[in-house]
Amino acid sequence: MKQLVFILSFIIWLLAFSPVGALAQTGLKMNELFEGRVIPQERMVETRVRGKTLEKYQLTYYRSLRMNVSSEENKLLGQLLDQDMKNCIDMRSYRENPHSWKTYTCKMQLQSSGGKNRFLCLQEQWNSRQEQWEVTVIYMEGAVGSLAQLEELLK
């Protein structure tokens, strides 16, 4: 009987907490990347963080993907990012050197969802030795009020 109660408790816990991460990026075009429909999961390094580690940044959820992509795949990621930009509240993008295409960074604040502010960041760097792009995409959510405030907290 105790074993049955333990198993049921575990199943309820899984049902209650596992969809939270999957739902975080819902409504974003970039969600296709997070779900592995653009770049295969085995080619990406994923990091997910929740809890006390994020409290000092006023965040409740952090998820990042790092991968190497071809120029074609990078164009597709750019199209997804452009579609998400259409609905963002605030956006900042810049190049390391305005005359160079080697490093590009884009940060945006998205529409709030479930009472939490949401942020999406992308950085791409051209790796000339491997002739591919190194891309990092980060999704964050929490109570932090603005993109400027998030940047200040992350310094």
Side-chain angles (χ1 to χ4, degrees), residues 2-3 16 18 30 44 59-62 72 74 78 83 89-90 94 97 108-109 113 115 117-118 127 137 141 154:
K2 286 183 182 181
Q3 191 174 18
S18 57
M30 197 59 80
M44 298 188 287
L59 295 171
T60 55
Y61 186 63
Y62 171 98
E72 253 336 278
N74 195 43
Q83 291 175 23
I89 296 170
D90 187 14
Y94 52 90
N97 174 349
M108 65 178 86
Q109 182 175 358
S113 177
N117 294 323
R118 305 184 310 157
N127 183 332
V137 179
E141 64 182 34
L154 294 176

mmCIF file of all heavy atoms in Angstrom, residues 2-3 16 18 30 44 59-62 72 74 78 83 89-90 94 97 108-109 113 115 117-118 127 137 141 154:
data_model
loop_
_atom_site.group_PDB
_atom_site.id
_atom_site.type_symbol
_atom_site.label_atom_id
_atom_site.label_comp_id
_atom_site.label_asym_id
_atom_site.label_seq_id
_atom_site.Cartn_x
_atom_site.Cartn_y
_atom_site.Cartn_z
ATOM 1 N N LYS A 2 1.924 1.260 0.841
ATOM 2 C CA LYS A 2 2.819 2.408 0.884
ATOM 3 C C LYS A 2 3.476 2.634 -0.471
ATOM 4 O O LYS A 2 3.665 3.768 -0.895
ATOM 5 C CB LYS A 2 3.891 2.210 1.955
ATOM 6 C CG LYS A 2 3.401 2.380 3.355
ATOM 7 C CD LYS A 2 4.552 2.235 4.323
ATOM 8 C CE LYS A 2 4.055 2.356 5.749
ATOM 9 N NZ LYS A 2 5.156 2.231 6.702
ATOM 10 N N GLN A 3 3.817 1.542 -1.135
ATOM 11 C CA GLN A 3 4.454 1.646 -2.443
ATOM 12 C C GLN A 3 3.495 2.274 -3.452
ATOM 13 O O GLN A 3 3.889 3.121 -4.258
ATOM 14 C CB GLN A 3 4.906 0.271 -2.920
ATOM 15 C CG GLN A 3 5.795 0.329 -4.129
ATOM 16 C CD GLN A 3 6.337 -1.033 -4.490
ATOM 17 O OE1 GLN A 3 5.823 -2.057 -4.064
ATOM 18 N NE2 GLN A 3 7.391 -1.047 -5.290
ATOM 19 N N ALA A 16 2.434 17.637 -12.311
ATOM 20 C CA ALA A 16 2.319 19.021 -11.849
ATOM 21 C C ALA A 16 3.506 19.886 -12.284
ATOM 22 O O ALA A 16 3.338 21.046 -12.611
ATOM 23 C CB ALA A 16 2.194 19.048 -10.330
ATOM 24 N N SER A 18 6.433 18.871 -14.553
ATOM 25 C CA SER A 18 7.143 18.687 -15.811
ATOM 26 C C SER A 18 6.627 19.548 -16.947
ATOM 27 O O SER A 18 7.405 19.996 -17.757
ATOM 28 C CB SER A 18 7.186 17.217 -16.214
ATOM 29 O OG SER A 18 5.896 16.690 -16.313
ATOM 30 N N MET A 30 10.338 30.846 -31.662
ATOM 31 C CA MET A 30 11.593 30.224 -31.253
ATOM 32 C C MET A 30 11.349 28.943 -30.446
ATOM 33 O O MET A 30 12.255 28.148 -30.263
ATOM 34 C CB MET A 30 12.422 31.227 -30.446
ATOM 35 C CG MET A 30 13.869 30.859 -30.324
ATOM 36 S SD MET A 30 14.784 30.685 -31.877
ATOM 37 C CE MET A 30 15.124 32.382 -32.280
ATOM 38 N N MET A 44 22.481 19.973 -29.603
ATOM 39 C CA MET A 44 22.364 21.143 -28.731
ATOM 40 C C MET A 44 22.773 20.794 -27.306
ATOM 41 O O MET A 44 22.545 19.680 -26.851
ATOM 42 C CB MET A 44 20.918 21.655 -28.729
ATOM 43 C CG MET A 44 20.430 22.106 -30.083
ATOM 44 S SD MET A 44 18.816 22.908 -30.046
ATOM 45 C CE MET A 44 17.716 21.524 -29.759
ATOM 46 N N LEU A 59 14.467 36.180 -11.267
ATOM 47 C CA LEU A 59 14.000 35.241 -12.289
ATOM 48 C C LEU A 59 13.495 33.967 -11.620
ATOM 49 O O LEU A 59 13.929 33.612 -10.528
ATOM 50 C CB LEU A 59 15.132 34.890 -13.263
ATOM 51 C CG LEU A 59 15.663 36.039 -14.112
ATOM 52 C CD1 LEU A 59 16.921 35.601 -14.852
ATOM 53 C CD2 LEU A 59 14.613 36.537 -15.083
ATOM 54 N N THR A 60 12.580 33.287 -12.304
ATOM 55 C CA THR A 60 12.079 32.014 -11.804
ATOM 56 C C THR A 60 12.434 30.859 -12.743
ATOM 57 O O THR A 60 12.354 29.703 -12.351
ATOM 58 C CB THR A 60 10.550 32.059 -11.637
ATOM 59 O OG1 THR A 60 9.956 32.436 -12.875
ATOM 60 C CG2 THR A 60 10.150 33.035 -10.543
ATOM 61 N N TYR A 61 12.815 31.187 -13.985
ATOM 62 C CA TYR A 61 13.120 30.131 -14.956
ATOM 63 C C TYR A 61 14.154 30.630 -15.954
ATOM 64 O O TYR A 61 14.079 31.766 -16.438
ATOM 65 C CB TYR A 61 11.842 29.715 -15.691
ATOM 66 C CG TYR A 61 12.003 28.536 -16.624
ATOM 67 C CD1 TYR A 61 12.354 27.288 -16.144
ATOM 68 C CD2 TYR A 61 11.790 28.681 -17.990
ATOM 69 C CE1 TYR A 61 12.491 26.203 -16.998
ATOM 70 C CE2 TYR A 61 11.922 27.597 -18.846
ATOM 71 C CZ TYR A 61 12.277 26.365 -18.350
ATOM 72 O OH TYR A 61 12.426 25.302 -19.189
ATOM 73 N N TYR A 62 15.143 29.783 -16.230
ATOM 74 C CA TYR A 62 16.199 30.085 -17.195
ATOM 75 C C TYR A 62 16.405 28.837 -18.036
ATOM 76 O O TYR A 62 16.534 27.737 -17.505
ATOM 77 C CB TYR A 62 17.490 30.430 -16.441
ATOM 78 C CG TYR A 62 18.721 30.545 -17.308
ATOM 79 C CD1 TYR A 62 19.169 31.781 -17.739
ATOM 80 C CD2 TYR A 62 19.445 29.412 -17.683
ATOM 81 C CE1 TYR A 62 20.309 31.891 -18.523
ATOM 82 C CE2 TYR A 62 20.572 29.513 -18.470
ATOM 83 C CZ TYR A 62 21.006 30.748 -18.886
ATOM 84 O OH TYR A 62 22.129 30.857 -19.664
ATOM 85 N N GLU A 72 22.639 28.013 -43.472
ATOM 86 C CA GLU A 72 21.210 27.790 -43.765
ATOM 87 C C GLU A 72 20.390 27.710 -42.481
ATOM 88 O O GLU A 72 19.334 28.316 -42.379
ATOM 89 C CB GLU A 72 21.043 26.467 -44.521
ATOM 90 C CG GLU A 72 20.703 26.437 -45.985
ATOM 91 C CD GLU A 72 20.010 27.633 -46.573
ATOM 92 O OE1 GLU A 72 18.772 27.740 -46.447
ATOM 93 O OE2 GLU A 72 20.688 28.438 -47.195
ATOM 94 N N ASN A 74 21.231 28.905 -39.607
ATOM 95 C CA ASN A 74 21.284 30.199 -38.949
ATOM 96 C C ASN A 74 20.264 31.164 -39.565
ATOM 97 O O ASN A 74 19.647 31.952 -38.855
ATOM 98 C CB ASN A 74 22.692 30.781 -39.014
ATOM 99 C CG ASN A 74 22.882 31.915 -38.050
ATOM 100 O OD1 ASN A 74 22.447 31.839 -36.901
ATOM 101 N ND2 ASN A 74 23.507 32.975 -38.505
ATOM 102 N N GLY A 78 17.206 33.024 -37.664
ATOM 103 C CA GLY A 78 16.977 34.455 -37.824
ATOM 104 C C GLY A 78 15.536 34.766 -38.193
ATOM 105 O O GLY A 78 14.948 35.738 -37.704
ATOM 106 N N GLN A 83 10.218 36.849 -36.393
ATOM 107 C CA GLN A 83 8.782 36.697 -36.128
ATOM 108 C C GLN A 83 8.462 37.000 -34.664
ATOM 109 O O GLN A 83 7.443 37.624 -34.366
ATOM 110 C CB GLN A 83 8.309 35.304 -36.518
ATOM 111 C CG GLN A 83 8.323 35.093 -38.018
ATOM 112 C CD GLN A 83 7.977 33.661 -38.407
ATOM 113 O OE1 GLN A 83 7.336 32.946 -37.659
ATOM 114 N NE2 GLN A 83 8.422 33.253 -39.589
ATOM 115 N N ILE A 89 8.089 43.746 -26.552
ATOM 116 C CA ILE A 89 7.841 45.036 -25.906
ATOM 117 C C ILE A 89 9.054 45.947 -26.071
ATOM 118 O O ILE A 89 8.930 47.131 -26.322
ATOM 119 C CB ILE A 89 7.548 44.824 -24.402
ATOM 120 C CG1 ILE A 89 6.273 44.021 -24.244
ATOM 121 C CG2 ILE A 89 7.480 46.143 -23.659
ATOM 122 C CD1 ILE A 89 6.028 43.567 -22.822
ATOM 123 N N ASP A 90 10.236 45.370 -25.914
ATOM 124 C CA ASP A 90 11.491 46.117 -25.990
ATOM 125 C C ASP A 90 12.528 45.214 -26.627
ATOM 126 O O ASP A 90 12.499 43.996 -26.437
ATOM 127 C CB ASP A 90 11.930 46.533 -24.572
ATOM 128 C CG ASP A 90 13.131 47.470 -24.566
ATOM 129 O OD1 ASP A 90 13.487 48.015 -25.631
ATOM 130 O OD2 ASP A 90 13.711 47.667 -23.480
ATOM 131 N N TYR A 94 22.841 44.434 -31.312
ATOM 132 C CA TYR A 94 24.088 45.094 -31.669
ATOM 133 C C TYR A 94 25.094 44.083 -32.185
ATOM 134 O O TYR A 94 24.979 42.890 -31.957
ATOM 135 C CB TYR A 94 24.666 45.867 -30.471
ATOM 136 C CG TYR A 94 24.795 45.052 -29.215
ATOM 137 C CD1 TYR A 94 25.950 44.342 -28.938
ATOM 138 C CD2 TYR A 94 23.746 44.986 -28.300
ATOM 139 C CE1 TYR A 94 26.063 43.587 -27.778
ATOM 140 C CE2 TYR A 94 23.845 44.244 -27.141
ATOM 141 C CZ TYR A 94 25.008 43.553 -26.888
ATOM 142 O OH TYR A 94 25.110 42.808 -25.747
ATOM 143 N N ASN A 97 31.339 44.652 -33.627
ATOM 144 C CA ASN A 97 31.944 45.689 -34.449
ATOM 145 C C ASN A 97 30.907 46.020 -35.516
ATOM 146 O O ASN A 97 30.522 45.144 -36.283
ATOM 147 C CB ASN A 97 33.235 45.154 -35.074
ATOM 148 C CG ASN A 97 33.851 46.110 -36.065
ATOM 149 O OD1 ASN A 97 33.245 47.102 -36.461
ATOM 150 N ND2 ASN A 97 35.067 45.800 -36.478
ATOM 151 N N MET A 108 15.462 40.674 -26.173
ATOM 152 C CA MET A 108 14.125 41.256 -26.239
ATOM 153 C C MET A 108 13.281 40.878 -25.041
ATOM 154 O O MET A 108 13.456 39.809 -24.462
ATOM 155 C CB MET A 108 13.429 40.877 -27.544
ATOM 156 C CG MET A 108 13.137 39.414 -27.723
ATOM 157 S SD MET A 108 12.258 39.068 -29.261
ATOM 158 C CE MET A 108 13.621 38.929 -30.378
ATOM 159 N N GLN A 109 12.411 41.809 -24.686
ATOM 160 C CA GLN A 109 11.403 41.533 -23.672
ATOM 161 C C GLN A 109 10.117 41.202 -24.408
ATOM 162 O O GLN A 109 9.685 41.948 -25.288
ATOM 163 C CB GLN A 109 11.188 42.728 -22.744
ATOM 164 C CG GLN A 109 10.170 42.434 -21.656
ATOM 165 C CD GLN A 109 10.028 43.564 -20.644
ATOM 166 O OE1 GLN A 109 10.713 44.577 -20.725
ATOM 167 N NE2 GLN A 109 9.141 43.375 -19.695
ATOM 168 N N SER A 113 3.340 36.553 -19.575
ATOM 169 C CA SER A 113 2.474 35.376 -19.629
ATOM 170 C C SER A 113 2.375 34.791 -18.224
ATOM 171 O O SER A 113 3.397 34.587 -17.572
ATOM 172 C CB SER A 113 3.050 34.335 -20.589
ATOM 173 O OG SER A 113 2.267 33.178 -20.592
ATOM 174 N N GLY A 115 1.490 36.163 -15.525
ATOM 175 C CA GLY A 115 1.980 37.075 -14.506
ATOM 176 C C GLY A 115 3.495 37.180 -14.433
ATOM 177 O O GLY A 115 4.030 37.802 -13.526
ATOM 178 N N ASN A 117 7.174 38.179 -16.453
ATOM 179 C CA ASN A 117 7.811 38.834 -17.584
ATOM 180 C C ASN A 117 8.737 37.833 -18.262
ATOM 181 O O ASN A 117 9.355 37.000 -17.599
ATOM 182 C CB ASN A 117 8.581 40.072 -17.120
ATOM 183 C CG ASN A 117 7.643 41.127 -16.584
ATOM 184 O OD1 ASN A 117 6.546 41.306 -17.094
ATOM 185 N ND2 ASN A 117 8.069 41.822 -15.545
ATOM 186 N N ARG A 118 8.801 37.924 -19.590
ATOM 187 C CA ARG A 118 9.571 36.945 -20.363
ATOM 188 C C ARG A 118 10.604 37.651 -21.232
ATOM 189 O O ARG A 118 10.342 38.728 -21.761
ATOM 190 C CB ARG A 118 8.639 36.123 -21.250
ATOM 191 C CG ARG A 118 7.524 35.465 -20.474
ATOM 192 C CD ARG A 118 6.632 34.570 -21.310
ATOM 193 N NE ARG A 118 6.160 35.195 -22.520
ATOM 194 C CZ ARG A 118 5.757 34.506 -23.598
ATOM 195 N NH1 ARG A 118 5.776 33.203 -23.601
ATOM 196 N NH2 ARG A 118 5.336 35.141 -24.666
ATOM 197 N N ASN A 127 32.370 31.202 -36.684
ATOM 198 C CA ASN A 127 33.595 30.468 -36.410
ATOM 199 C C ASN A 127 34.222 30.147 -37.765
ATOM 200 O O ASN A 127 33.791 29.221 -38.449
ATOM 201 C CB ASN A 127 33.280 29.182 -35.632
ATOM 202 C CG ASN A 127 34.530 28.415 -35.255
ATOM 203 O OD1 ASN A 127 35.548 28.478 -35.933
ATOM 204 N ND2 ASN A 127 34.433 27.673 -34.169
ATOM 205 N N VAL A 137 20.890 30.558 -27.519
ATOM 206 C CA VAL A 137 19.563 31.137 -27.359
ATOM 207 C C VAL A 137 19.168 30.943 -25.903
ATOM 208 O O VAL A 137 19.274 29.843 -25.372
ATOM 209 C CB VAL A 137 18.525 30.463 -28.287
ATOM 210 C CG1 VAL A 137 17.142 31.061 -28.077
ATOM 211 C CG2 VAL A 137 18.952 30.585 -29.743
ATOM 212 N N GLU A 141 12.339 33.962 -17.542
ATOM 213 C CA GLU A 141 11.090 34.567 -17.079
ATOM 214 C C GLU A 141 11.178 34.824 -15.586
ATOM 215 O O GLU A 141 11.939 34.165 -14.874
ATOM 216 C CB GLU A 141 9.880 33.706 -17.426
ATOM 217 C CG GLU A 141 9.828 32.365 -16.779
ATOM 218 C CD GLU A 141 8.625 31.551 -17.217
ATOM 219 O OE1 GLU A 141 8.179 31.650 -18.361
ATOM 220 O OE2 GLU A 141 8.140 30.778 -16.359
ATOM 221 N N LEU A 154 22.264 41.309 -14.479
ATOM 222 C CA LEU A 154 23.160 40.274 -14.997
ATOM 223 C C LEU A 154 24.611 40.735 -15.122
ATOM 224 O O LEU A 154 25.491 39.922 -15.365
ATOM 225 C CB LEU A 154 22.657 39.762 -16.352
ATOM 226 C CG LEU A 154 21.333 39.023 -16.319
ATOM 227 C CD1 LEU A 154 20.884 38.655 -17.726
ATOM 228 C CD2 LEU A 154 21.395 37.788 -15.431
#
